[in-house]
């Protein structure tokens, strides 16, 4: 049976963008880094949970490079998941710092034209939590994550805010945004 990826269908493909801007914490303040990136989204079939829940899955790998030197400075692996029964969109992601996020939310619009995916998570949230290593909890804690992604045909744009408790700031807004084109 053909898998219905619902609002995730438009993600599938390889996307490139060079309009990225990262705002990240440094001990002495804020670092702003222009970046380019590649995100590969792949159709990954479906799964059945507890007999009754059936999720369509899109797997992704995001590789982000500094414009200044071409160095990879962010690598992210994850899944977008669609639950047609509850009309819930999920993004589960991991970054190589000892941090994982299970974010949930909704989709608006229908393909091919603008489809907006909006998910969020927060530390300690019963529904959509953040998990992190003890070191990160104690020194660079991810307290919240919000992500809005818009797919419109062969154009994709996203903006995300990762709220960090770090360097004495209880709510540092670590932000990332970019515009990509399907290649
Ligand atoms: C395009 C996406 C992202 C980019 C380019 C990026 C880049 C950065 C950079 C440059 C730093 C400063 C420290 C360093 O130079 O390594 C940083 C810190 C951090 N980022 Fe990200 N980040 C991204 C997304 C995320 C996401 C999605 C999360 C978690 C959900 C996250 C969690 C963190 C944490 C916890 C730190 C603090 C680590 C530390 O400096 O001690 N980041 N990030």
């Amino acid at each position: 049976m053909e898998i219905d990826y619902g609002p995730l269908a438009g993600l599938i493909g390889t996307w490139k963008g060079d309009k990225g801007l990262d705002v990240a914490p440094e001990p002495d303040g804020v670092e702003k880094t222009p970046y380019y990136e590649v995100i590969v989204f792949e159709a990954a079939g479906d799964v059945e949970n507890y007999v009754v829940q059936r999720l369509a899955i899109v797997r992704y790998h995001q590789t982000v490079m500094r414009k200044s030197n071409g160095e990879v400075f962010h690598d992210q692996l994850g899944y977008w998941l669609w639950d047609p029964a509850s009309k819930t969109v999920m993004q589960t992601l991991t970054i190589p710092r000892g941090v994982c996020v299970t974010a949930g939310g909704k989709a608006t619009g229908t393909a091919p034209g603008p489809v907006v995916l909006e998910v969020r998570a927060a530390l300690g949230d019963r529904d959509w939590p953040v998990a992190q290593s003890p070191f990160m909890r104690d020194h660079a804690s991810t307290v919240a994550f919000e992500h809005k992604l818009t797919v419109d045909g062969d154009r994709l744009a996203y903006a995300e805010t990762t709220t960090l408790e770090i360097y004495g700031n209880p709510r540092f807004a670590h932000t990332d945004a970019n515009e990509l084109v399907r290649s």
Side-chain angles (χ1 to χ4, degrees), residues 17-24 33-37 39 62 64-65 67 73-74 145-150 156-162 173-180:
D18 63 1
K19 297 181 174 58
L21 181 67
D22 172 66
V23 178
T33 309
Y35 67 81
Y36 63 98
E37 69 180 312
I39 312 181
Q62 178 182 21
V64 185
M65 279 76 50
K67 276 194 181 177
F73 76 127
H74 182 77
F145 173 77
E146 289 171 28
H147 188 187
K148 180 176 178 181
L149 184 155
T150 304
L156 183 159
Y158 73 84
E160 67 188 18
T161 301
T162 306
H174 172 23
T175 59
D176 291 281
N178 201 358
E179 293 172 21
L180 299 91

Side-chain angles (χ1 to χ4, degrees), residues 22 24-26 31 35 62 64 66 73-74 76 93 95 97 99 101 136 140 142 145 158 160 162 164 166-167 174 176:
D22 172 66
E26 284 297 321
E31 182 185 43
Y35 67 81
Q62 178 182 21
V64 185
R66 285 182 205 274
F73 76 127
H74 182 77
Q76 187 174 312
L93 69 90
I95 60 162
R97 294 182 187 274
V99 179
V101 174
M136 296 306 276
T142 298
F145 173 77
Y158 73 84
E160 67 188 18
T162 306
L164 302 176
I166 188 167
Y167 304 132
H174 172 23
D176 291 281

Side-chain angles (χ1 to χ4, degrees), residues 2 13-14 20 27 41 69 93 99 102 126 160 169 172 180:
E2 180 111 347
T14 297
F41 293 95
N69 58 10
L93 69 90
V99 179
T102 303
R126 187 164 177 269
E160 67 188 18
N169 185 340
F172 180 93
L180 299 91

Side-chain angles (χ1 to χ4, degrees), residues 87-171:
K87 301 208 179 321
T88 301
V89 173
M90 304 176 221
Q91 182 189 11
T92 60
L93 69 90
T94 182
I95 60 162
R97 294 182 187 274
V99 179
C100 301
V101 174
T102 303
K106 61 177 175 28
T108 46
T110 42
V115 173
V116 181
L117 309 176
E118 276 183 280
V119 294
R120 57 181 62 223
L123 187 64
D125 191 276
R126 187 164 177 269
D127 292 334
W128 305 111
V130 172
Q132 55 194 336
S133 70
F135 184 92
M136 296 306 276
R137 177 198 62 206
D138 294 344
H139 300 290
S141 179
T142 298
V143 296
F145 173 77
E146 289 171 28
H147 188 187
K148 180 176 178 181
L149 184 155
T150 304
V151 202
D152 191 358
D154 289 332
R155 297 191 171 272
L156 183 159
Y158 73 84
E160 67 188 18
T161 301
T162 306
T163 306
L164 302 176
E165 182 179 355
I166 188 167
Y167 304 132
N169 185 340
R171 293 193 72 81

